[in-house]
Amino acid sequence: MSNLVSELLAKMTTEEKIGQLIQLTGDFFQDGKAAITGPINELAHLKLQTVYSVGSVLGVSGAADVRRIQENYLANNRLKIPLLFMADVVHGYQTIFPIPLGLGASFDPTVMETASGIAAKESVAAGLHVTFAPMVDLVRDPRWGRVMESTGEDSYLNSVMAQAAVKGFQGDSPWDEKHLAASVKHFAAYGAPEAGREYNTVDMSEWRFREQYLPAYSAAINAQAMLVMTSFNTLFGVPATQNQHLLRDILRDELGFHGVVITDWNAIEELVHHGTVRDLKDAAQKALAAGVDIDMMAFAYAEFLNKAVELEPGVLKLIDESAQRILELKETMGLFADPYRGLDESKEKDPEFIRDNLVQAQKAAEESLVLVKNHRRTLPLSQRQNLAVIGPVAQTGDLLGSWSWKGDVETTQSIADALVDTFSEIVTAPGCGYHSFNKQQVEQAKLLASDADVIVAAIGLPSSESGEATSITDISIPAEQIALLKELKTLNKPLISVVITGRPLLLKEVHTLSDAVLIGWFPGSKGAQAIANILSGKVEPSGRLPMTFPLNLGQVPLYYNAYSTGRPIEVGQKNGEYKYVTKYVDSSNEPLYPFGFGLGYGKILLTDMTMVSNSLKMNDQLILDVTLTNDSPRDSKTVLQCYTHQKVGETVRPLKELKWFKKVTVEKQSSLKIQVNIPVARLASVHQDLSTKVDVGDYQVMVGFDSMNLKVLDFKVKE
């Protein structure tokens, strides 16, 4: 503990320490300008003295507003302890990048780091100190709306992207005024709600939690994330916000996290609804005992204020510990030296400042788009071709996605407008609504399209149908949009579907009807231009799927790294008996598009793969020399992916696990040699006693361009 923090704690009353543990919205300091992201407890009645002792503010930004609130607060705070300002800056502040699922689709951690760094720079200029990001929850059920905030279904990809996001938000030590603190969320396993229903129960073994869900949180904490946010769900039968095993044994003791733990909105009060506490006072005591430092808008810790002089020594000790962590965060960020650190109203409004950031947003969008079908090389298009741009997403700026706090849909360029700037002749019409179909509207669109060389169908979902509290039971493209595609197909012209979405969808009919399909993950402020550049061939499509796309809803949850079973489908094929194995009787087990899949315009082949040594010790590295060859007449990008499989383990092992990836460019008519290095330590698995270690034995390494089409080599790990 520093001298400054020690001296402050010695001067503070118990009430002032408790105040540091309370977070309020900006509504308590100004007239209704804060962003509300959850229900407000109408019973909250705080004394003015308490308001001027709280530690942090949620959901308000803007240099002028933050300065005014901070000045007013400090004028009324006895010890001049500044406020922390926090908000959900998930994939951009003013400059909106692709949603995190799209950033995951880039398979490039530098893209994530750059996006997070720019978001930090803009946020700090607007007065923010903490962002509630990154969300590193592993997601496998596309019915859950918040899959858009994650980077996908794979723990290794999530871990790499989590570290990149934290580094981008926080920068390097020492702390500077262009970065803000990251709050990793949601701890833990929030991405696995039963039936994909928001705020629902999560129930899994601790073995599975440690195997698949914990690694990304651990990676973010190893990257020195300064805060962790608890999740709404239960885990191991106990709500996360009061779960001492989760928050103390695992997070603090095992992972070594010494920073600030904050709840999600009203989560302490919600313990009453979970039925694990009697009332709000009981909830506050259990959350504090679990190690929760900041109560976000539940007013639970305010319960301690009423009897501050009567609190037991154990409770006072916990309050002191939490207050200390919060004060240390403020000191680390330099707020005692300058309560207005980084705040810059002129920069906030500087068009040059934003213009430079938009260049990076466009690059990120280009890296995130995934081409999943390109029949007979329909793409790229010639700029001399005449296009008909049809569909409900054609003429809208609704390309930003959920959590685009300061993004402006009204000023965001539409796909049709971007294509007008790129191609010689464009006609455009909606054809239908997202969920509405009008025959006259369709006929008008067909008439416009009848003279075009190519039809671009801009389809998908509005941003309001992804994000928090948007769970759905049907992940199909709306029937009205499928009907539009069928009508456009009758014109017998090349049909390209650009699908804007925040989650994997059922695209079997879209795939069948279209000559080419491009997936856009709410690509952000410059997403329309990125799409135009991909369609025209100015930019090579290089995104890859961070989540599996199912053939049928009944396959969900469907993910590539499933565990081995006692009756794999191959056994039935070999034995001539195909019934009593793990399969459906009405559908294939296979997805429409597998994890890691995506196409480019070039033709890159894996032409050689050798292993330096197939017998490795525990401290060795698995080293592969891989040769890629591009036979096409243009430079091309791809994502080389490396998976492993442990043939025999103490516990059941996945069929394959991603352990390494790299996005590479192979020049036209040339070959590129790449060395893959995987530490043997990365092969560790969780055992029955919940320890994590590498087993000796036989393994396989698999290399390719997606999770299904791979070349395989065997190797051994020995003592």
Side-chain angles (χ1 to χ4, degrees), residues 510-700:
V510 174
H511 181 92
T512 301
L513 292 166
S514 307
D515 295 286
V517 180
L518 183 70
I519 307 296
W521 311 97
F522 286 106
S525 299
K526 296 293 288 183
Q529 187 59 56
I531 290 168
N533 288 348
I534 294 289
L535 296 183
S536 67
K538 290 180 181 179
V539 173
E540 174 83 0
S542 62
R544 300 296 184 260
L545 295 180
M547 289 186 72
T548 301
F549 275 56
L551 269 173
N552 300 298
L553 182 61
Q555 294 175 304
V556 171
L558 181 64
Y559 47 94
Y560 86 91
N561 52 350
Y563 289 110
S564 303
T565 78
R567 292 191 177 186
I569 198 166
E570 294 84 358
V571 169
Q573 292 171 328
K574 292 175 183 177
N575 295 348
E577 171 54 72
Y578 198 58
K579 183 176 181 181
Y580 298 103
V581 293
T582 180
K583 73 179 186 69
Y584 299 102
V585 297
D586 62 344
S587 172
S588 166
N589 289 3
E590 304 300 331
L592 177 62
Y593 307 127
F595 172 85
F597 177 70
L599 303 172
Y601 293 149
K603 185 180 180 182
I604 298 178
L605 301 174
L606 198 165
T607 50
D608 190 44
M609 182 174 80
T610 59
M611 189 181 300
V612 173
S613 174
N614 63 1
S615 182
L616 305 172
K617 295 181 180 179
M618 292 292 179
N619 60 350
D620 286 342
Q621 290 204 351
L622 172 64
I623 302 175
L624 301 171
D625 290 320
V626 179
T627 301
L628 304 183
T629 301
N630 181 3
D631 288 332
S632 62
R634 61 178 290 156
D635 296 348
S636 188
K637 279 186 178 181
T638 192
V639 177
L640 185 64
Q641 302 163 39
C642 186
Y643 302 78
T644 63
H645 170 63
Q646 183 179 348
K647 290 186 177 180
V648 178
E650 180 186 284
T651 56
V652 64
R653 307 306 312 132
L655 299 172
K656 60 194 74 168
E657 301 174 88
L658 184 68
K659 296 297 182 183
W660 183 96
F661 62 86
K662 186 176 183 179
K663 181 172 281 190
V664 297
T665 299
V666 186
E667 295 180 357
K668 61 185 178 182
Q669 304 297 335
S670 67
S671 294
L672 177 67
K673 291 186 177 180
I674 299 169
Q675 188 170 87
V676 176
N677 292 273
I678 301 174
V680 169
R682 199 175 290 168
L683 305 177
S685 61
V686 178
H687 289 61
Q688 293 182 63
D689 63 0
L690 302 184
S691 65
T692 301
K693 57 188 176 183
V694 179
D695 291 324
V696 299
D698 296 325
Y699 292 76
Q700 291 177 321

Side-chain angles (χ1 to χ4, degrees), residues 134-139 150-164 166 184-188 209-223 225 228 255:
M135 187 185 106
V136 302
D137 301 320
L138 188 74
V139 294
S150 173
T151 51
E153 70 183 45
D154 180 75
S155 62
Y156 179 68
L157 176 63
N158 284 2
S159 297
V160 171
M161 291 299 182
Q163 288 182 319
V166 171
V184 178
K185 63 184 186 184
H186 306 82
F187 199 75
F209 169 69
R210 289 174 174 274
E211 269 268 301
Q212 299 172 350
Y213 291 81
L214 186 59
Y217 302 111
S218 178
I221 291 164
N222 287 339
V228 167
L255 299 185

Side-chain angles (χ1 to χ4, degrees), residues 83-224:
L83 285 165
L84 280 167
F85 287 82
M86 307 187 187
D88 291 278
V89 183
V90 175
H91 55 109
Y93 180 73
Q94 287 176 285
T95 304
I96 307 301
F97 285 77
I99 59 174
L101 196 59
L103 295 173
S106 75
F107 273 74
D108 187 344
T110 64
V111 172
M112 174 65 83
E113 184 177 340
T114 298
S116 302
I118 288 173
K121 185 168 58 174
E122 292 184 356
S123 299
V124 170
L128 293 177
H129 307 128
V130 176
T131 175
F132 301 132
M135 187 185 106
V136 302
D137 301 320
L138 188 74
V139 294
R140 289 174 168 170
D141 193 331
R143 293 174 296 181
W144 190 52
R146 295 191 83 165
V147 298
M148 58 80 60
E149 281 185 72
S150 173
T151 51
E153 70 183 45
D154 180 75
S155 62
Y156 179 68
L157 176 63
N158 284 2
S159 297
V160 171
M161 291 299 182
Q163 288 182 319
V166 171
K167 184 177 180 182
F169 284 129
Q170 296 190 170
D172 299 316
S173 296
W175 199 268
D176 65 34
E177 294 188 352
K178 294 181 180 179
H179 294 89
L180 75 173
S183 179
V184 178
K185 63 184 186 184
H186 306 82
F187 199 75
Y190 184 45
E194 288 186 355
R197 194 172 75 241
E198 182 73 288
Y199 315 122
N200 202 11
T201 298
V202 172
D203 187 16
M204 67 177 67
S205 68
E206 186 168 344
W207 172 80
R208 188 165 198 175
F209 169 69
R210 289 174 174 274
E211 269 268 301
Q212 299 172 350
Y213 291 81
L214 186 59
Y217 302 111
S218 178
I221 291 164
N222 287 339
Q224 305 302 309

Side-chain angles (χ1 to χ4, degrees), residues 386-390 394-395 416 419-420 425-429 445 447-452 454 456:
N386 299 327
L387 304 187
V389 187
I390 309 296
Q395 298 167 297
L419 290 171
V420 165
E425 187 173 334
I426 297 289
V427 294
T428 183
L447 182 62
L448 283 173
S450 61
D451 292 328
V454 178
V456 176

